Amino acid sequence: MADTRTPSAAGHPAAASRGPRTAAVLSRNSPLWRRMRELALMPALLLLVVLGSFTNDTFLTERNIISILGASAALAMVVLAESLVLITGKFDLSLESVVGIAPALGALLVLPAAQAGFGAELPVALGIVAILLVGAGVGAVNGLLVVKLRLNAFIVTLAMLIILRGLLVGATEGQTLFGMPEAFFTLATTTFLSVPASVWLAAAAFATAGLMLKYHRWGRALYAIGGNQQAARAAGIRVDRVMLAVFVIAGVLAAVGGLIQTGYVGAINSNQGENMIFTVFAAAVIGGISLDGGKGSMLGALTGVLLLGVVQNLLTLAQVSSFWIQAIYGGIILLALMIARVTTGRAQD
């Protein structure tokens, strides 16, 4: 390639030595550039925090901050689940229904018939295990249909969303389930250093996933599959096995999110998790997870969750009418996307 430097720059030793370093620092593949992309939402998040501190005296209190984290824990688990699937280049719309059906079936197996249960009255431990198994089972069915039968992931998981939503309404007969054992609420009610266990669990899950994606071969395989599935196969990656595992893990994470939501609300109703998938996709996408697969980080996704949590809290503190909340919510998401675009200089996929 021809040397495009000016003669003075080309002939100056200092300029010549600075050139490669500057190019390396500004390269879109450099660690600095990747870090900028991961933290692209921080300006928007900081702006909202500053705005909140000026508009409401209670916003920056310890109680309110813990409230934001506790209210965001269930969403964080589902966003983590969806992010893993998105990185492989697939979708899972059914996660919102898993948030409802998994804890509901666990509760129905534990509750007596007099409390709208199935009457099985299984031990509480088995009920909790059943919640996780339901999530894993739904993920396995989705994975088999998408990976083995090569069906469209969007259509398959949309159909599963509808099926599970119908099963939830049918199993509960449209009623709200109360009186579950204390174990169903433990994640939301137990605290450590004044912070709910659900928040610590979500933080640990994100940290583990982030480390796996960055340092473990299985995590790197997800990026490879999302980037180019055929190339990943050629490189010796067991694509089908990895993708099936991702769907199962996503289902389990969504089930845990449903258990957290149950503890936070104190009951399970027949529409638990309904329309949650829109917020999940919003948090993941504004956090830098590409819908095309192969791109994104857990730090970015977590920032997206926190941004939406702060937005929701600000709207609640401001006593904004529910008629306007959705419009404001969407507008802030678009604003966050534009800020991320400006701060990174990168087109969003």
Side-chain angles (χ1 to χ4, degrees):
M1 179 181 293
D3 190 350
T4 58
R5 292 175 297 174
T6 63
S8 58
H12 198 288
S17 62
R18 285 196 303 267
R21 288 200 300 270
T22 303
V25 168
L26 296 179
S27 169
R28 290 178 180 246
N29 293 320
S30 69
L32 178 59
W33 185 266
R34 289 196 298 269
R35 181 62 60 184
M36 286 175 63
R37 291 188 300 183
E38 290 176 357
L39 300 177
L41 281 184
M42 288 305 296
L45 184 58
L46 291 175
L47 178 62
L48 285 174
V49 170
V50 171
L51 179 64
S53 65
F54 279 107
T55 57
N56 196 296
D57 294 336
T58 64
F59 179 74
L60 285 181
T61 61
E62 178 183 351
R63 180 178 180 180
N64 190 59
I65 292 173
I66 292 176
S67 175
I68 294 173
L69 295 176
S72 302
L75 174 65
M77 297 301 291
V78 187
V79 169
L80 173 57
E82 191 66 62
S83 296
L84 293 176
V85 177
L86 287 173
I87 287 174
T88 66
K90 299 297 182 182
F91 295 85
D92 191 345
L93 303 179
S94 67
L95 293 178
E96 74 162 37
S97 290
V98 174
V99 169
I101 192 66
L105 288 180
L108 290 169
L109 289 171
V110 171
L111 291 174
Q115 292 180 261
F118 290 148
E121 298 187 49
L122 295 180
V124 177
L126 290 181
I128 300 297
V129 171
I131 294 173
L132 303 180
L133 290 178
V134 169
V138 172
V141 172
N142 285 336
L144 289 172
L145 293 175
V146 172
V147 177
K148 296 300 184 181
L149 296 184
R150 300 288 189 265
L151 300 181
N152 183 276
F154 185 91
I155 302 301
V156 166
T157 57
L158 177 61
M160 185 62 73
L161 179 155
I162 297 170
I163 292 170
L164 296 179
R165 181 63 57 196
L167 288 176
L168 176 59
V169 174
T172 60
E173 296 182 350
Q175 302 179 50
T176 299
L177 301 178
F178 296 100
M180 278 85 70
E182 186 60 32
F184 280 72
F185 311 129
T186 299
L187 289 176
T189 57
T190 303
T191 60
F192 177 68
L193 299 178
S194 300
V195 178
S198 58
V199 176
W200 293 110
L201 177 61
F206 266 90
T208 302
L211 291 173
M212 289 283 289
L213 288 171
K214 191 169 185 178
Y215 297 110
H216 197 273
R217 61 183 181 183
W218 187 83
R220 292 193 294 270
L222 297 190
Y223 287 114
I225 293 170
N228 190 321
Q229 193 173 128
Q230 297 306 316
R233 290 184 190 277
I237 297 174
R238 297 181 176 179
V239 173
D240 289 0
R241 180 179 296 185
V242 172
M243 291 183 64
L244 181 58
V246 168
F247 274 102
V248 173
I249 292 171
V252 172
L253 290 172
V256 174
L259 187 60
I260 293 173
Q261 184 72 12
T262 298
Y264 184 76
V265 175
I268 302 173
N269 56 46
S270 58
N271 63 352
Q272 178 161 301
E274 189 172 5
N275 295 328
M276 187 183 194
I277 199 65
F278 299 113
T279 308
V280 169
F281 268 94
V285 173
I286 67 176
I289 304 295
S290 173
L291 296 179
D292 295 328
K295 297 178 184 177
S297 71
M298 293 301 100
L299 179 58
L302 181 58
T303 308
V305 173
L306 293 176
L307 180 73
L308 296 188
V310 169
V311 169
Q312 184 64 49
N313 183 258
L314 283 174
L315 294 177
T316 301
L317 290 177
Q319 298 182 335
V320 175
S321 170
S322 59
F323 297 108
W324 294 103
I325 283 182
Q326 290 300 318
I328 296 173
Y329 208 56
I332 291 177
I333 290 171
L334 288 177
L335 178 61
L337 282 172
M338 289 186 286
I339 292 175
R341 174 68 174 90
V342 171
T343 54
T344 62
R346 178 178 66 98
Q348 292 157 340
D349 299 320

